[in-house]
Amino acid sequence: MLLAACSGGSNPNSEQGSNASPNPGESAAPQEKPTISWLNVLHTATPPTDTVLNKIEEYTGAEIEFSWIPDASKEERLNTALASDSLADIVTITLMENSSVRNALKAGVFWEISPYLDEFPNLAKISEGFRTSASIEGKLYGIPLQKQVARNGVIVRKDWLDKLGLQPPKTTAELFEVAKAFTENDPDGNGVKDTTGFMDRSDLVFGAFKTLSSYHGTPSVWSVSEDGKVLPEFESEGYVKTMDYMKGLYDGGYINQDFAVTAKTDQQQNFAQGKAGIYVGALFDSKNLLNLAKGVQDNMELIMLNNITLTGSESERAIWSTSNGVGGLLSFPKSEVKDENELRQVLKFVNDLMSDEVYALMTYGIQDVHYTIDGNKAVTITNTELWQQEVQPFSSSRPSELGYEIHDNDPLRAEAAKLIEENTKYAKLNPMYSLESPTNSAQGSELLKIVTDATYKYMLGEETLDDFNEAVAKWRKSGGDQIISEYEAAYKAAFGS
């Protein structure tokens, strides 16, 4: 429960608390801090310690109670929380297309916050584009998590390329050959065939599949023809070509053979331990991978690639953006946030999280403890192990990743930021993201499992292309045709035909 209004604090790295006297020599009655509960997603192996959390609480003037959901089980855990009404003041929602989530949002489980945003200076800066993309049927049921439009690319071990006399790949075929060489030609020089090309995880979106799919010309989730006809991405030629590509990697042993059941943390740990040389994901993961490799693979050198195409032509460059830069919502259930006063309290708290000071805390930690900073606001992490324990788990909780002056001094992170910004030019947006299909909201997640399962079975050689096409037909008959029809009507109403 929210017990009192959040109050802004002083510099988070100062020892002065938020209840300090306003003027020297004066005494101020201590104010009871609000306690804000937060059901949040954890992308690291363990939750953070309290060191940085205490500073965030000091700045925001609130006590924060986190309930962490591991990323690997977030869909199941969130569905359970919604069904049992075991929520929190703030719920991090990253599964915007999940039918249970969309139904809960539309059913009025969470506050609609559009009328309140402009009361708070940082929330007021959220652009109309983000507000629109994050809305459902024109209503905004939480603070949009603002991220880069297209963050993904390919991370490759440069030291292995150099060892084998290979150039950075520019085409999907060259990337395949690099994966083959990393598997067969002993890139780590230990005389044992114990490496693979790709290290992937069980995620068709944030793992390798969707990025490789972009390179094969697949649209982002949906496509719309000039005459307004809507088709799902898995009915495109590019999707099938990507399945064939992944199947070729699997059949050749050029990808970890358990990729269909590998969690993100295991994927990153395995890469850091030198078991593979290609990682497809967010480009800024490169520095995290290098940090994980410290003391294990100290000779690791990484390069990042965002310009891979089928033929190497600049005109073919593309990268997916299913959510158009919206990473989800910070939503506020009415069962926990009882009235407008409490809503304003929790909105004030999120507004404070978007300050430069708290962004620095959640990204880099505490100055002179975790990092140093120069006159250009470039940060150098000075204690990587401590940063991983006390800071890194907070990074996915930042309401916004955009527009802050403080930045990483590390060349790898600087290059990642440059490439991610460059991706914006080539991003393929999801044309249906802000539109509504009632059938998709009610059944979309369950229906999609039909195609997801068929995709994995095809890539693993357990089923044929005919079997995959039968699964797509089943998807259509089970509600997919209705979803397409509803999206076509919504698109026509919003944009004309």
Side-chain angles (χ1 to χ4, degrees), residues 150-200:
R151 302 178 294 166
N152 282 43
V154 179
I155 299 168
V156 182
R157 286 197 62 162
K158 182 180 183 299
D159 54 317
W160 285 11
L161 289 175
D162 293 343
K163 173 81 183 311
L164 300 180
L166 300 171
Q167 294 297 313
K170 294 183 179 180
T171 68
T172 53
E174 290 173 0
L175 182 62
F176 191 97
E177 290 303 313
V178 168
K180 180 179 180 181
F182 282 0
T183 306
E184 297 181 345
N185 297 344
D186 191 23
D188 58 0
N190 68 353
V192 180
K193 190 175 179 180
D194 58 355
T195 58
T196 61
F198 285 80
M199 182 59 63
D200 196 25

Side-chain angles (χ1 to χ4, degrees), residues 42-44 71-72 151 199-203 206 261-270 279 282 284-285 288-289 292 396:
L42 182 67
H43 290 269
T44 55
D71 179 64
R151 302 178 294 166
M199 182 59 63
D200 196 25
R201 65 181 185 262
S202 59
D203 190 331
F206 298 103
V261 294
T262 298
K264 179 180 179 180
T265 52
D266 292 330
Q267 176 200 20
Q268 294 186 335
Q269 287 288 348
N270 288 339
Y279 175 100
F284 53 68
D285 283 345
N288 296 338
L289 294 171
L292 287 172
S396 60

Side-chain angles (χ1 to χ4, degrees), residues 429-441:
L429 304 184
N430 174 6
M432 301 297 123
Y433 188 73
S434 63
L435 302 180
E436 185 62 21
S437 158
T439 304
N440 195 52
S441 296

Side-chain angles (χ1 to χ4, degrees), residues 82-393:
L82 288 169
S84 61
D85 196 25
S86 53
L87 299 169
D89 300 324
I90 303 174
V91 178
T92 298
I93 295 175
T94 59
L95 301 165
M96 291 287 288
E97 296 180 354
N98 177 282
S99 54
S100 297
V101 169
R102 292 185 78 88
N103 287 336
L105 292 169
K106 290 167 58 182
V109 172
F110 299 94
W111 283 90
E112 204 279 314
I113 62 163
S114 296
Y116 307 94
L117 289 184
D118 291 340
E119 298 178 19
F120 305 92
N122 292 325
L123 301 183
K125 295 175 184 176
I126 299 173
S127 71
E128 287 302 320
F130 273 111
R131 298 186 194 194
T132 299
S133 289
S135 296
I136 296 177
E137 294 183 331
K139 294 184 177 180
L140 186 60
Y141 295 105
I143 305 297
L145 295 172
Q146 300 171 72
K147 298 182 179 293
Q148 299 91 346
V149 173
R151 302 178 294 166
N152 282 43
V154 179
I155 299 168
V156 182
R157 286 197 62 162
K158 182 180 183 299
D159 54 317
W160 285 11
L161 289 175
D162 293 343
K163 173 81 183 311
L164 300 180
L166 300 171
Q167 294 297 313
K170 294 183 179 180
T171 68
T172 53
E174 290 173 0
L175 182 62
F176 191 97
E177 290 303 313
V178 168
K180 180 179 180 181
F182 282 0
T183 306
E184 297 181 345
N185 297 344
D186 191 23
D188 58 0
N190 68 353
V192 180
K193 190 175 179 180
D194 58 355
T195 58
T196 61
F198 285 80
M199 182 59 63
D200 196 25
R201 65 181 185 262
S202 59
D203 190 331
L204 292 183
V205 179
F206 298 103
F209 186 88
K210 199 163 189 68
T211 297
L212 294 174
S213 191
S214 293
Y215 301 157
H216 284 89
T218 308
S220 287
V221 188
W222 299 94
S223 65
V224 185
S225 65
E226 291 185 1
D227 59 355
K229 297 298 181 184
V230 172
L231 285 176
E233 62 181 344
F234 46 78
E235 291 193 26
S236 69
E237 182 181 359
Y239 192 96
V240 175
K241 286 182 177 179
T242 308
M243 289 198 303
D244 286 333
Y245 190 90
M246 293 284 285
K247 185 177 186 300
L249 291 172
Y250 180 79
D251 290 345
Y254 311 144
I255 190 170
N256 53 308
Q257 298 293 282
D258 60 351
F259 78 93
V261 294
T262 298
K264 179 180 179 180
T265 52
D266 292 330
Q267 176 200 20
Q268 294 186 335
Q269 287 288 348
N270 288 339
F271 186 91
Q273 290 167 12
K275 295 180 180 179
I278 302 171
Y279 175 100
V280 183
L283 289 164
F284 53 68
D285 283 345
S286 57
K287 185 58 181 178
N288 296 338
L289 294 171
L290 205 61
N291 286 338
L292 287 172
K294 293 265 177 74
V296 182
Q297 294 278 310
D298 286 328
N299 294 326
M300 180 184 287
E301 293 181 65
L302 300 176
I303 57 168
M304 295 165 288
L305 307 171
N306 70 341
N307 60 346
I308 294 175
T309 64
L310 282 176
T311 67
S313 171
E314 176 78 8
S315 63
E316 294 177 340
R317 284 185 65 175
I319 186 65
W320 62 274
S321 178
T322 59
S323 61
N324 304 349
V326 177
L329 296 172
L330 296 180
S331 296
F332 318 111
K334 295 177 181 177
S335 61
E336 306 296 323
V337 181
K338 303 292 188 182
D339 54 35
E340 286 189 327
N341 286 335
E342 289 189 356
L343 178 62
R344 285 187 168 92
Q345 290 167 3
V346 77
L347 287 173
K348 170 66 165 58
F349 170 74
V350 177
N351 178 83
D352 291 345
L353 292 183
M354 294 174 64
S355 67
D356 289 289
E357 293 86 351
V358 178
Y359 173 82
L361 284 169
M362 298 177 84
T363 307
Y364 302 111
I366 301 169
Q367 186 174 343
D368 298 325
V369 175
H370 303 99
Y371 73 89
T372 57
I373 189 169
D374 66 18
N376 295 317
K377 296 200 172 183
V379 166
T380 300
I381 300 296
T382 53
N383 191 325
T384 300
E385 184 176 350
L386 196 64
W387 176 84
Q388 289 172 344
Q389 294 171 354
E390 299 182 345
V391 185
Q392 187 181 12

